[in-house]
Amino acid sequence: VAERALARARPAFLPRDLAEHTIEIFTGRQKADPMGLGRVLLVDNFLPNVKDMTRALLAEGYEVAASMRADDALDYVQNDRYHLAVIGSPIATPPVTAAELAKKMRTFDPDLRIILMVDHYLSGGLQGVSQAVEVGLDDSLLKPVDPQRLRFSISRALERRRLQLENARLVEELKSSNEELEQLSGFQQKFFATVAHDVKNPLTAIRGYAELLSWKVKDAELTKCVTHIMSSSKTLEGLISDLVDYAAIESGKLRVNLEEMDLAVVVGEVQSRIQVAADKRSIKLHVQLPEGLPKLQGDPLRVGQVIQNLSTNAIQYTPEGGNVTVKIQPGPTMITISVRDTGIGISKEDLPRIFDRFFQAENAQKMRRAGFGLGLKISQEIVKAHGGAMGVDSELGKGSVFYFTLPIPQSQAAPAQQQSQPLPAAPSMPSMQTQTPMPRQITPPPQKMP
């Protein structure tokens, strides 16, 4: 009643029990009657039938409005929010079929549920079924309508309406959440790119002046300070590079320049860079590089980045005196590069998340000096961009082996074995004096090579 009065610019009154719902009702956001089961509109020619159904539904707790005229019923639907309409067929004033009236009602309220009451004779029943399908009605009942059957049909139709409205609300919330996430993701990418750019420029100057000082300073204490500056700036440069690569991955702009690549040269350059770090921790670094490796199509800098990242991690998480082995295993159509260690290993619980961005295993966090936890994620994306796949086998406290594959061009592959093959088995783990099978995490290769 209050809604109807407001729609017609008249004063409206609400009972005290509805005070907490005042704002929703007056602003038109109240979708259901907080005091009842639902709002039902009855439309039929036969007055006694209308009265009986009205009394029965009011006794059940529904809010009911009744009409014997089609134009009045349309006015109700247009100005008020009814949840369901029960329409008898046909309506005499003005002459209109129930299906036509239902279609007009739906133009005012697409969420309105509709139940059709048709005459009991055969053609009327068949027509009711046909109209129910055509108009999308909730039910079609034969006259005279059993009150219990009517209550059941109304209850089911209102429940369907409630579910549809709830689904629509959840969909809108999901859309809104997705938009917020997209905005946040865009802000994050811009933030990473901006920070990386703004920090990299002064860092270049710091490293340049530090190198200049290292040439001129003769005092031992000052030389030690300059060395710390250069070491810290180098660490910071690595962090910035990770942010730049991650921002490129998130925006789909990771740059990979495919060209003819000599994997032996790439591995040799990585070995020369990481040998110093291995020597400082008394770790034996082994490189198993067979002769006659085929030429690959890849980005030497990016592939070297992956091998160096896996090797650096292996050295960092291996106790002093341990072993780290870089091994190249050529196959018919794929080359497998593996890095195994005798380090702390990865637990079964952490293994499924090891390639997630920003993730660091709990035991690794205690040994890690610096980093965002992006290295494995970046390496995984670089390998995927080359048409390969990356995997890991590990056992907590025993060691790990990270490996990835790179495709061999058809011109270099054996003619009889140029068909594609699945990801090769993981390289053998270092001896751990156990027969217990270890968990395995593999990232599948893309279907097509970029």
Side-chain angles (χ1 to χ4, degrees), residues 142-297:
L142 292 177
K143 293 181 179 180
V145 178
D146 178 63
Q148 185 175 358
R149 178 69 177 83
L150 177 62
R151 289 195 295 269
F152 172 77
S153 183
I154 290 177
S155 176
R156 186 174 60 179
L158 291 177
E159 178 65 14
R160 185 181 297 113
R161 172 191 169 92
R162 185 190 68 79
L163 291 176
Q164 289 180 344
L165 292 177
E166 180 67 10
N167 288 340
R169 184 186 66 81
L170 293 176
V171 169
E172 288 300 321
E173 289 185 358
L174 182 60
K175 289 181 179 178
S176 178
S177 298
N178 287 338
E179 291 176 358
E180 292 178 0
L181 287 175
E182 288 178 0
Q183 293 177 357
L184 180 60
S185 178
F187 169 77
Q188 185 184 63
Q189 295 173 18
K190 292 180 180 179
F191 174 77
F192 285 159
T194 302
V195 169
H197 180 270
D198 291 346
V199 174
K200 197 170 185 178
N201 288 337
L203 180 62
T204 302
I206 292 173
R207 290 198 63 182
Y209 282 117
E211 290 180 2
L212 181 61
L213 287 174
S214 67
W215 298 339
K216 295 186 177 182
V217 171
K218 304 300 181 181
D219 183 81
E221 287 297 325
L222 290 178
T223 301
K224 185 178 180 180
C225 293
V226 172
T227 302
H228 286 321
I229 294 174
M230 295 179 64
S231 176
S232 298
S233 61
K234 185 177 181 180
T235 301
L236 183 57
E237 185 179 33
L239 296 177
I240 294 174
S241 297
D242 284 349
L243 286 179
V244 172
D245 287 340
Y246 176 71
I249 290 171
E250 289 295 299
S251 61
K253 298 179 181 179
L254 179 65
R255 187 174 300 174
V256 174
N257 299 317
L258 299 180
E259 60 185 56
E260 187 176 83
M261 179 179 67
D262 189 337
L263 187 58
V265 174
V266 174
V267 174
E269 291 177 351
V270 172
Q271 181 182 7
S272 64
R273 292 195 295 266
I274 64 176
Q275 187 66 58
V276 176
D279 293 341
K280 284 183 178 179
R281 307 196 66 228
S282 301
I283 292 175
K284 297 178 181 179
L285 177 63
H286 308 278
V287 177
Q288 299 179 10
L289 190 64
E291 297 181 358
L293 288 177
K295 302 293 183 180
L296 304 180
Q297 284 294 315

Side-chain angles (χ1 to χ4, degrees), residues 69-79 101 104-105 108:
R69 295 177 56 87
D71 49 2
D72 289 343
L74 288 175
D75 183 64
Y76 277 126
V77 174
Q78 184 177 5
N79 294 302
L101 181 58
K104 291 181 180 179
M105 287 182 173
F108 296 123

Side-chain angles (χ1 to χ4, degrees), residues 1-20:
V1 177
E3 292 174 287
R4 188 180 306 118
L6 288 173
R8 297 175 180 178
R10 297 177 182 175
F13 301 92
L14 283 177
R16 188 182 300 273
D17 294 338
L18 293 181
E20 59 180 309

